[in-house]
Each structure stands twice: as structure tokens, then as C-alpha cells.
Amino acid sequence: MKMTGAQAIIESLKREQVQVVFGYPGGSVLTLYDELYKAKFPHILTGHEQGAVHAADGYARATGKAGVCFATSGPGVCNMVTGIATANMDSIPLVVISGQVATTLIGRDSFQEADISGITTPITKHNYLVKNVKDLPRVLREAFYIATTGRPGPVLVDVAKDVFDAEFDYEYPETVELRGYSGVYTGQAYDIDRTVAALEQAKRPVLLTGGGIILADMAAPLWDVVQKTQVPVITSLMGKGAVPDSYDAHLGMVGMHGSYAANMAVTKCDLLIAVGTRFDDRITGDVENFAPNAQIVHFDIDKVEINKIVHADISVNGDLRWSLPLFAEKVRQSDVDFAAQFADWRKEVLAMNEAHPFATRDLPDAVSPQKLFEAVNSRLGADDFVVTDVGQHQMWAAQFCDISKPRHFITSGGLGTMGYGLPAAMGAKLGCSGSTVLLFTGDGSIMMNCQEFATLHKYGVDVKVIVLHNSVLGMVNQWQRLFYGQHYSQSVIADNPDITAVSGAMGVPGRTVRKPEELAQGLDWLFAAEGAALLDVYIPADENVYPMVPGGKRLDEMVLRGEAQ
Ligand SMILES: Cc1ncc(C[n+]2csc(CCOP(=O)(O)OP(=O)(O)O)c2C)c(N)n1
């Protein structure tokens, strides 16, 4: 069928069953936007390209499908770089389609030219510069395939301006043939047998859940393993939700702001089974002394991750869609009474967890973060989504929020991108409209992409926002309090504008809570509000997140509340 390049893009999106695109127009993509207009293709115009890419990312994390966004050349797509890097660090499938200057102008410092494939090479799974319209269908087919298969990630398709206008015979390829990339990774069953044997020998095992389980949609077989073995579970930030927080031997997050019990369990365990995690330094602390008494098993799809940071005694390299069902089957077939074998160890870690729960201070005149999260937990259902920004509030959300399903805790882990939360929550809501989407943000983070309040209003996207308002860049302030002689250099933001006025001006009503006795009413108002709404909750400025493993220290050298203050 004869088509222009722009028509081919829209047609290909339809074939990939893309439901919505997030983006922002400009000179080099005008033909594409004209086609979008004619096809009435669903598009969300954000206030900023960074908002568009984070929204596509939030959509992808909530739905498991690739998020798609459009930007114009140069400044437009450069504004997406932070969002592309965010997605790349957390292995999120995105297809970013950007306009480039016309083929004859490429490489001449033309108006709005930026070498975006060069700029994004280290932060994309793959990228393309399309200079010939005939390549478009194949490139788009490959882009979706690469983004969503194997270890997912962002793929950029940069399209020269004249390619949008060029006519050609359109045919969408049925199959993808890529040399050196199959997207299917099956490992050796022998490694799983060795893992089961190690588990049968273990006295003090721990299961570390990573985000890979969620990306692969493999929480179900993992849950079978947990139920059969009753093994204590700890999680990375990205793995939160892989095993329900309500599981009695779930010790919570491990690492820098992990629980006492999780960090001690790693220190004392004799077997650590790590699944779909890349051992970020926020997890390991001092790598040399990470899990010093344990045999380590590492399940991961990506060979690059095996032995990258932590030496694996047994590596199960392959897609979790292959390895976890097989592991679950072999565990089920084992004759060992795991629950009995691990009973003493479970008792030990549960006692540690009870003795050292996550907690923030309980001050009579202030809302404590802990009380806030507990009040919210009682109002959230299992289908609701929690999204966060970055900072102390993010760590408290990870510590206190009860999440029972995979994909329902959405946060920027690897890059730790402030400003991620509001647009990501919007994307999640657009992907899962039946559920409540609740954003926890800070009074610093919310200012970074606050223009997206207007987008929520314009499209009637119902996101509930809770600002943990401490009048400081809390996490920075905490480091300055603990490690920089209380020099609060550039971290006090008490003169920020009134955030309810900011959101209100863009059509999202807000209310303020200053005292503990106002909290319940404020939350009732927020959850009952029609459409998007914001609750600005004042919390103490000098609250610290504990436990805290100081940079480079061992996990068992974590500082507890009371030891430092
Ligand atoms: C884009 C970006 N810039 C800077 C930082 C460094 N940083 C990490 S946490 C933080 C403070 C966050 O403050 P706020 O959003 O108010 O949250 P709080 O820590 O107070 O809960 C900063 C500046 C970052 N993570 N991202």
C-alpha cells in the first residue's frame, strides 16, 4: 500500500496495538503530527518533553506494554534524555520516536539539530537514525521487539524530517530477524538443579527479589517457591511487590535504607538466592563484605549482570520466564520439608524484625511520616498503584507502603530522578484507569515537573497526590545533618511557592494538613475528590530515614534511630 513515512508510523503503531502516545510537537515532526491529527490517534500533549517520556515510562511499568513518546528534533528530544536514562537504568520498555533535521542537513549544525542517537547511545538498549523511508516499517517492528523482549529497555527511533513526507510501498514485517539478538534466552536446567540442591542443604537461606521478576511477570512461580519453602524474603527497591508485603517472613527492603532484619539476614545467611537484581550499590553497601557467610545464587536474564558486582557461586543465566517456572517445579518435587528445616532461622529473623521495625519519630504536634503512610495504607486496596518521586518520602514509601501485587509500586530506582513522579503517575493512570493511582512526592520533587498538573486537568486524569512537605530537600538535608556538619547548603526550600496554589492554578485542587488531627479529614477529602487532587502534608524538617548504611559501609554497620540523633 502506498503511504508516506508519517502514515507508516501511525499505521505501525496501530499494528503494535499502541493505545496512547505522549509527546510534544515541533518543526521536524509537523508531518507526523498532521497524520496523527487526521488519524485521530490518541495523544497526550504534556507540558514538557520530560513529562512525556516519564508518562510513557509510568504507563509501561503499570501495564507491561511498551510506552511510546514523540518529540521534535534537537531541544525536544534532548528534553527526553533524563527520562530515557531513567527507563534504561530500570529496564523499562519504551519506544521514543523523534524527528531529526532533513537528511541533507544532518551533520551541518543545522537549526535544531542534535546528534540524539550519539547522545543516547549509552542510555538506550538500541537506537536508530532513519534516513530512508523504506527502512521505517522494519525499524519500528524491530524497535518494539527489542524494547519488549529479553531484558527490556528504551529504544530510540530518530527519523529525518524528509522521511516523514517521502512516499513508498508500505508493508509491515511479520517477523524480526536480527543477527546476534533473539530476545529469547534459555539457560541450563543443571544450574537450577544445583540451586535446588543448595536450598536442600541450607539452614539459613534468604530470597532477594529484584525488579526483573516484575518485568518478566514471573511473580506467580516465585510465590510458589516462597509458599513451599517458607523462606525469608528481602527485596530491592525495584522488586517491591514481587512478593506481597503481607507475607509474614517478608523482611522488607534491603540495603542503604533497608530494614534491620533484612540487612542482618544478608549478613548471617548461608544461602542467598538473588533473582532479577543487579546488585546496585544501594543494596550491597561494602561489596567485599556483602553476604559474607553465604553461597550466592544469581538468577538473571542478562549475562552481563552475572559476576558484575557480586560473585555468584551458582548462576542461573536465562529468562526468568524459563527459569522460575522450572525452579518452582523442582522445588515442589523435592522431598525436603523446607518449612521444618528453616523454622529456627525464620524464628530468628522474625524476632529481629519485630525488635527493629521501620519507624519514624512520633511527635505530638507534627504528622509523622509513619502515621501518614499507615493512614494511607488503610485506605488503599490491592489493585491501587503507589507511585513515588525521589528522596526521603520515596524511602518511607518503600518502607511503609503495603504493596500486594507486582507493578503496583512505581518508582525511579537506578537513576533516582526527581520530577519523575507526577508524569509517571499520569501514565500509570492512563494505562490502568480502573485503579486509584496515588503519588507520594516531596516539596522539592514536585516542583520539577509541576507543569504536568495542567495536563492532568486538561485530560481529566485522576491522580491523587500527597506531598510530604518538610520545607527542605529532605534527603540532601539528612546527609548534610549526618555527614556535612549541619551545613544546610542549598537544601532549605521553605520559601517555595504554596504548592496548593500552584496546582490549583492549573486546575488541580489542593488542601493543606499541618496538624496530626487534620490528617484523617484531609485524606478523606483527597480520596473522595472528583478527579485529580493534592494534599500538602507538613512533616518535620529534621526527620531522618533509618536505618541507614553510610556509604561504603557493611550492611551490619547500619545506623539505627537513636544511635545518631
Ligand atoms: C533530578 C535530580 N536532581 C537532584 C537529585 C538529588 N536529590 C536526591 S533526593 C533530593 C531531595 C529531594 O527532596 P524532596 O523532593 O523535597 O523529597 P524529600 O527528600 O524531602 O522527601 C535531591 C535534591 C535527584 N535525585 N534528582
Side-chain angles (χ1 to χ4, degrees), residues 2-20:
K2 276 254 178 279
M3 270 190 202
T4 65
Q7 284 169 333
I9 291 176
I10 301 294
E11 179 59 29
S12 306
L13 295 186
K14 287 182 186 164
R15 299 210 182 185
E16 294 291 343
Q17 297 180 348
V18 174
Q19 290 161 322
V20 61

Side-chain angles (χ1 to χ4, degrees), residues 141-198:
R141 180 80 171 84
E142 287 175 8
F144 278 92
Y145 184 74
I146 293 171
T148 53
T149 54
R151 178 181 184 167
V155 177
L156 175 106
V157 181
D158 195 30
V159 183
K161 187 177 191 310
D162 46 311
V163 168
F164 292 115
D165 290 302
E167 267 208 336
F168 73 123
D169 277 322
Y170 175 82
E171 199 181 330
Y172 203 56
E174 299 259 310
T175 53
V176 172
E177 272 166 50
L178 284 160
R179 224 172 359 140
Y181 182 88
S182 75
V184 179
Y185 302 97
T186 304
Q188 294 168 351
Y190 169 68
D191 294 325
I192 295 178
D193 292 335
R194 287 173 66 205
T195 306
V196 176

Side-chain angles (χ1 to χ4, degrees), residues 11-182:
E11 179 59 29
S12 306
L13 295 186
K14 287 182 186 164
R15 299 210 182 185
E16 294 291 343
Q17 297 180 348
V18 174
Q19 290 161 322
V20 61
V21 172
F22 303 88
Y24 205 94
S28 71
V29 285
L30 279 178
T31 308
L32 179 61
Y33 271 83
D34 195 52
E35 220 34 68
L36 188 98
Y37 176 88
K38 289 188 224 154
K40 296 194 172 60
F41 197 89
H43 178 276
I44 301 288
L45 173 67
T46 53
H48 190 296
E49 287 88 352
Q50 192 183 352
V53 64
H54 289 326
D57 169 309
Y59 176 93
R61 292 188 204 226
T63 63
K65 299 177 200 156
V68 182
C69 51
F70 288 175
T72 193
S73 63
V77 68
C78 282
N79 272 345
M80 286 189 168
V81 168
T82 304
I84 296 170
T86 303
N88 191 56
M89 285 289 259
D90 292 344
S91 304
I92 304 304
L94 285 188
V95 175
V96 179
I97 300 176
S98 56
Q100 182 52 277
V101 298
T103 37
T104 50
L105 295 174
I106 292 176
R108 301 183 170 199
D109 292 339
S110 308
F111 177 62
Q112 297 198 323
E113 182 185 5
D115 173 13
I116 198 64
S117 11
I119 290 169
T120 60
T121 295
I123 54 164
T124 46
K125 185 169 172 187
H126 195 56
N127 70 24
Y128 297 89
L129 169 59
V130 183
K131 295 202 272 185
N132 186 334
V133 71
K134 290 192 190 130
D135 294 332
L136 253 186
R138 175 186 56 82
V139 164
L140 287 167
R141 180 80 171 84
E142 287 175 8
F144 278 92
Y145 184 74
I146 293 171
T148 53
T149 54
R151 178 181 184 167
V155 177
L156 175 106
V157 181
D158 195 30
V159 183
K161 187 177 191 310
D162 46 311
V163 168
F164 292 115
D165 290 302
E167 267 208 336
F168 73 123
D169 277 322
Y170 175 82
E171 199 181 330
Y172 203 56
E174 299 259 310
T175 53
V176 172
E177 272 166 50
L178 284 160
R179 224 172 359 140
Y181 182 88
S182 75

Side-chain angles (χ1 to χ4, degrees), residues 390-393 416-418 442-445 448 470 472-476:
V390 171
Q392 290 182 313
H393 64 274
T417 308
M418 287 173 72
D443 46 343
S445 290
M448 285 213 179
N470 49 10
V472 286
L473 298 174
M475 192 53 98
V476 169

